Amino acid sequence: MPTEMLHIPTADGTADAFAAFPDSGEPHRGVLMYPDGFGVRPVLKDMARELAGHGYYVLVPNLFYRHGPAPVIELPAFIGEEERPAIFAQVMPLIEAHTSAQVLTDADAYLNFLATRPEVCPGPVAVTGYCIGGLVAVRTAVAHPGRVAAVAGFHAPALADGPGPLSRITAEMHLGHAEGDMTPEALREIDQALDAAGPGHTSEVYPGTVHGFTMADTDAFNPAALQRHWDRLLPLLERMPSVL
């Protein structure tokens, strides 16, 4: 399967990114995959390859390119309980410095990039994300209702901007939450916001999970929940309309 490292011009410089796509010589639907706070690394590349194998051009940008190319911080091969405090001490300042305005200007650059690729079909794309990347995916979909046809977020802080943005989502959405990430009140807020946005949206707690359950290089990994994530994400993408 073809993969490549890319450099995408943005309003603030150049973002490095990883792309995977089928080796068919034909254009495919585009998917913008935002990583979690640990960034672009082998496990995200593997997930991009997995998704590309289902017939998509998958772009995984380095959210924190303003601080350097990925990996922005040095990561162990496996992130366990002992490693987390030191890693979070480096990651949290990057997340806190990543403003909503930066998210939106970067999203413009990534969507424009996908629109120029000969490997990508014309028309709307899908956006998916993990942890902080799930919040970025929601912000991207809200800002680009005419360009994003499907959006998904997994173990994401979906209410970080309040319920209002969720109620304005026009793309079909799925949110997969870890147990303990959301209070019952927060889950009700999400459900009410998605009901206001219209039919077709789903929000569910994945049983037996902790935050980060999709990431195989951490002690939060849950294989059954990762499969559940694919079982939700792939049909969502298959339903993605070609025209909005």
Side-chain angles (χ1 to χ4, degrees):
M1 172 178 295
T3 63
E4 56 184 340
M5 293 302 300
L6 301 162
H7 296 89
I8 302 173
T10 73
D12 291 331
T14 302
D16 52 305
F18 174 81
F21 48 95
D23 188 14
S24 66
E26 299 177 355
H28 297 272
R29 305 299 299 275
V31 179
L32 178 54
M33 177 185 282
Y34 288 119
D36 62 356
F38 298 147
V40 182
R41 59 196 191 282
V43 69
L44 264 297
K45 294 178 181 179
D46 288 345
M47 293 172 74
R49 291 187 187 96
E50 172 75 17
L51 184 53
H54 292 273
Y56 299 97
Y57 181 100
V58 185
L59 179 69
V60 190
N62 172 16
L63 295 179
F64 307 130
Y65 69 87
R66 292 172 179 83
H67 303 273
V72 177
I73 65 171
E74 185 175 348
L75 293 171
F78 184 80
I79 301 169
E81 185 176 353
E82 291 184 1
E83 294 81 10
R84 282 182 181 272
I87 294 171
F88 270 92
Q90 298 176 76
V91 168
M92 290 310 297
L94 301 178
I95 293 174
E96 291 165 358
H98 195 52
T99 67
S100 298
Q102 290 172 344
V103 167
L104 297 183
T105 58
D106 289 349
D108 288 343
Y110 303 145
L111 293 174
N112 289 338
F113 176 83
L114 286 172
T116 67
R117 298 298 293 185
E119 304 94 342
V120 180
C121 293
V125 302
V127 185
T128 186
Y130 305 88
C131 183
I132 187 63
L135 175 60
V136 175
V138 170
R139 288 174 173 171
T140 299
V142 171
H144 296 280
R147 303 181 73 177
V148 176
V151 58
F154 301 92
H155 44 87
L159 284 178
D161 295 334
L166 295 178
S167 68
R168 299 195 299 273
I169 287 283
T170 57
E172 185 180 352
M173 168 176 273
H174 173 74
L175 296 174
H177 312 288
E179 284 188 353
D181 267 5
M182 296 285 173
T183 65
E185 293 77 13
L187 290 169
R188 282 195 292 271
E189 276 194 87
I190 291 172
D191 288 342
Q192 290 168 359
L194 294 182
D195 286 345
H201 307 297
T202 57
S203 170
E204 65 178 303
V205 175
Y206 286 25
T209 58
V210 296
H211 184 78
F213 58 79
T214 59
M215 297 296 145
D217 62 349
T218 77
D219 57 0
F221 180 56
N222 183 313
L226 176 64
Q227 184 57 52
R228 190 185 190 96
H229 140 280
W230 290 123
D231 291 344
R232 299 295 186 269
L233 180 60
L234 293 173
L236 175 70
L237 300 186
E238 289 170 6
R239 293 191 298 270
M240 184 168 47
S242 58
V243 177
L244 291 177

